[in-house]
Amino acid sequence: MDGLAIDRQREACEKIAGNRGWKVDEDSYYVDQSKSATDKTKKRPAYDRMVADFKADRFDAIICWDLDRLTRQPRQLEDWIDAAEDRGLQLVTANGEADLATDGGRMYARIKAAVARGEVDRKSARQSAAQNQRARQGRAPKGVRPLGYATNGDVIPNEAKAVREIFRLFAIQNGPSIAALAAGLSGKTGDHIPKSLPHLPKHTRTLMMERNERRQIEGLDPRPVPDDGPWGSSTVLGILRNPRYAGYSVYTDKKNRINKNKRRTWFSQVLRDDSGQPVMGQWDAIVEGYTWHVVQERLDDQSRVTNRTGSTARKHLGSSLYLCGICDEPVRAHTRGYRCAGHLIRSRSQVDGFVLRIARERLSRLDLLDAVPLADEPRLRDIQLRILEHQGRIKRAQHDYDAEIIEGMDLKRIRARENAAIADLEVERLRLVGGSDLKVILGAEDPLVAFDGADVAIKRRIIDYFFTVSLFPHPRGRKAFDPSTVKVEPKRRSSTGTIGPLTQRAP
């Protein structure tokens, strides 16, 4: 990326043109810096422009540093051979001439292209083996560092804090959408945008600034730094999908990968040992394993996958949370109110204001700490390990079936048994995790201040945890708000504390 190799190649090619008396226009240079000719899926803009210019008869000869600088794809080479035969294209390389107009020259070009392709395949195999070995040893993979981690696997505190908050918020049932999380990282504000997320510069900008620091130490000129801008939803999705944050070692065998679903690609990259257990990395996890799995479940939720609006966050306090007092079905947001078709339409501001007053009164009580849900973290870890054990048994049974050790009916029976056990464990895990996000408010030094400054998703969780809210039709002809038409009933929970009667009884 320092451009020095490009300069050397350019000088050698210009010398050949001068020796042959060929004219080279200013727009006759085609440079794809750091664009591999190996991967046929990669876009090479300058190469594509060169192909278009040749078809438009803008040149009749090509000078390149080496044949594999032009292409490493046999199919593309055959196109240039056809051009030499049909239109007299001349091709010159700096380390020897490849005359495509002769049988010997074409054979040389084909052999060289095949050798180059073979070396690419061998290099790829060596790199894949090395990456697989690193992953099985639990060492941090090489390449671009993810947000929150240094290249050696060390945790970067301020970035890790943002990553934890991203996972915590998205793990909340009906919590903020990926777009809202991206907006929060970008420093934007709004009712549906989390206020607890720190504003960070775009990760690509941070990475380039770090690279320039290394270039300066090496005595090289800095490269252009991209402007700061809003975070993209795809970047946040990549963070939420990355198993490395939960401490899992990852590896992807691209050639043998069966799962092509991009939404599930990260989950399939968790490396497992011979017994089917996940390989843990040597780095410190930023989020708990069960939190990562809860996030994957929300990402895999079909209601999100099929959502065409791009938003999964509730923007109104009572939408799908309040119930219709007539049919007990959730009400929906409707213009400036809440609506249950055929039963009622209520003013949103009046109802929300009343419910928020009751919620604030509950949060001001001295016995609030008795209602804080306590997640049994050792039990959560034990559940996660047991789930992985059952998944490992299914994988071993599949291996035995492929090896013709067991019959299809045995595989089906084992799958049914292990999946049933997994389902029971998932129910218990979700029950334990369900109230962990409430600690942000209930465990705060001043719960009222924390509640007032929270986003809509957190306020909804507090209300849903403490109360059942039912709406009834408002009397006709009466403009003033009637509290008797909103029924707020406290919920009682024996497993995580008892919520007693309100000091101010709700209608």
Side-chain angles (χ1 to χ4, degrees):
M1 289 300 294
D2 56 15
L4 298 179
I6 296 293
D7 293 339
R8 291 193 298 268
Q9 295 173 18
R10 188 198 308 270
E11 291 174 1
C13 292
E14 288 175 342
K15 184 176 180 179
I16 293 174
N19 292 339
R20 291 174 175 262
W22 289 353
K23 179 183 178 182
V24 181
D25 296 329
E26 189 62 32
D27 60 351
S28 295
Y29 293 91
Y30 303 91
V31 181
D32 279 320
Q33 185 170 345
S34 297
K35 301 286 186 180
S36 174
T38 302
D39 190 347
K40 61 184 178 181
T41 64
K42 292 290 181 64
K43 294 293 184 181
R44 300 172 63 197
Y47 178 86
D48 295 339
R49 180 168 60 87
M50 183 179 68
V51 173
D53 288 351
F54 178 71
K55 292 180 179 179
D57 292 327
R58 294 179 180 174
F59 62 82
D60 51 17
I62 294 178
I63 305 173
C64 56
W65 171 256
D66 198 353
L67 189 62
D68 60 9
R69 300 298 90 186
L70 176 66
T71 181
R72 290 189 177 185
Q73 302 298 326
R75 293 178 183 176
Q76 292 178 347
L77 176 61
E78 291 299 329
D79 290 338
W80 293 118
I81 291 176
D82 291 342
E85 291 179 330
D86 300 338
R87 297 174 53 183
L89 171 71
Q90 297 185 63
L91 178 64
V92 179
T93 59
N95 62 348
E97 185 172 349
D99 187 358
L100 300 183
T102 65
D103 293 341
R106 291 193 293 272
M107 181 180 69
Y108 164 77
R110 289 186 174 111
I111 292 175
K112 185 172 178 60
V115 170
R117 185 69 208 182
E119 177 57 28
V120 168
D121 292 340
R122 287 191 295 273
K123 181 179 178 181
S124 176
R126 291 195 300 268
Q127 291 176 341
S128 296
Q131 292 170 358
N132 186 285
Q133 183 183 43
R134 287 182 64 88
R136 290 194 175 278
Q137 294 172 348
R139 298 163 61 192
K142 293 184 177 181
V144 179
R145 72 170 185 85
L147 183 72
Y149 286 116
T151 52
N152 63 354
D154 291 343
V155 174
I156 301 176
N158 66 312
E159 294 184 356
K161 181 179 179 182
V163 171
R164 292 191 190 96
E165 188 63 7
I166 290 172
F167 273 88
R168 186 191 70 81
L169 290 170
F170 198 79
I172 299 172
Q173 185 180 9
N174 292 325
S177 66
I178 293 177
L181 294 175
L185 289 173
S186 305
K188 298 181 180 180
T189 58
D191 291 338
H192 66 289
I193 297 176
K195 301 177 182 179
S196 56
L197 273 175
H199 176 206
L200 294 179
K202 288 188 67 175
H203 195 46
T204 51
R205 177 180 172 83
T206 301
L207 292 176
M208 183 53 72
M209 294 174 66
E210 292 173 350
R211 289 169 185 160
N212 279 340
E213 291 178 0
R214 293 193 293 269
R215 290 177 63 83
Q216 185 177 7
I217 295 175
E218 297 170 0
L220 301 175
D221 293 333
R223 307 297 295 179
V225 177
D227 295 333
D228 195 11
W231 283 68
S233 296
S234 60
T235 303
V236 177
L237 175 61
I239 293 173
L240 292 170
R241 280 297 192 188
N242 195 339
R244 283 192 61 189
Y245 291 120
Y248 294 126
S249 186
V250 297
Y251 174 75
T252 300
D253 187 350
K254 295 182 179 180
K255 290 186 177 180
N256 298 325
R257 189 174 69 192
I258 299 175
N259 189 353
K260 300 297 184 180
N261 187 335
K262 292 183 179 180
R263 290 181 175 270
R264 300 177 185 270
T265 298
W266 275 114
F267 189 83
S268 65
Q269 289 184 13
V270 176
L271 186 66
R272 299 182 182 276
D273 58 22
D274 295 336
S275 64
Q277 300 302 312
V279 177
M280 305 306 295
Q282 298 180 14
W283 57 87
D284 293 332
I286 293 179
V287 300
E288 293 285 350
Y290 57 81
T291 301
W292 185 81
H293 280 276
V294 169
V295 166
Q296 304 317 302
E297 290 173 357
R298 187 180 175 200
L299 289 172
D300 293 338
D301 184 2
Q302 289 301 310
S303 64
R304 292 192 69 262
V305 176
T306 58
N307 183 0
R308 297 183 179 180
T309 66
S311 174
T312 57
R314 299 293 182 184
K315 298 179 176 60
H316 305 297
L317 190 67
S319 179
S320 297
L321 175 62
Y322 302 160
L323 302 178
C324 172
I326 298 176
C327 65
D328 282 336
E329 292 295 323
V331 299
R332 307 294 180 184
H334 177 70
T335 59
R336 290 179 295 178
Y338 297 115
R339 176 175 180 266
C340 180
H343 293 155
L344 58 86
I345 295 180
R346 298 301 307 269
S347 169
R348 188 160 59 241
S349 60
Q350 290 180 337
V351 173
D352 288 349
F354 178 72
V355 174
L356 287 173
R357 285 196 299 272
I358 294 179
R360 295 184 82 259
E361 190 277 336
R362 179 63 184 91
L363 292 173
S364 66
R365 283 175 45 172
L366 297 178
D367 65 342
L368 182 63
L369 291 178
D370 295 336
V372 176
L374 300 176
D376 187 351
E377 294 188 1
R379 176 55 182 162
L380 284 168
R381 294 189 181 92
D382 178 62
I383 289 174
Q384 189 59 46
L385 289 175
R386 290 182 60 189
I387 289 176
L388 293 173
E389 289 177 0
H390 290 296
Q391 291 173 340
R393 291 170 186 167
I394 294 175
K395 187 174 182 179
R396 287 193 295 272
Q398 181 65 56
H399 179 272
D400 291 343
Y401 174 74
D402 294 338
E404 299 183 353
I405 298 176
I406 63 175
E407 300 292 336
M409 60 183 300
D410 297 321
L411 175 60
K412 184 177 180 180
R413 175 177 52 80
I414 294 173
R415 277 179 174 170
R417 182 189 66 202
E418 302 303 325
N419 283 329
I422 291 173
D424 292 338
L425 290 169
E426 290 286 5
V427 171
E428 183 180 359
R429 180 174 64 82
L430 290 176
R431 179 180 61 80
L432 291 173
V433 175
S436 60
D437 55 287
L438 299 175
K439 294 180 182 179
V440 177
I441 304 296
L442 303 184
E445 183 176 353
D446 190 333
L448 282 178
V449 173
F451 179 75
D452 292 338
D455 54 74
V456 173
I458 295 295
K459 290 180 178 177
R460 286 171 53 88
R461 285 288 290 120
I462 291 293
I463 293 171
D464 184 42
Y465 181 74
F466 281 109
F467 308 111
T468 298
V469 180
S470 301
L471 307 184
F472 294 87
H474 197 274
R476 292 186 178 183
R478 184 182 300 179
K479 294 183 179 181
F481 175 70
D482 186 354
S484 65
T485 61
V486 180
K487 186 177 182 181
V488 183
E489 295 181 306
K491 294 180 179 178
R492 297 184 180 274
R493 305 175 186 272
S494 59
S495 60
T496 56
T498 300
I499 301 176
L502 299 172
T503 56
Q504 176 184 342
R505 183 172 179 82

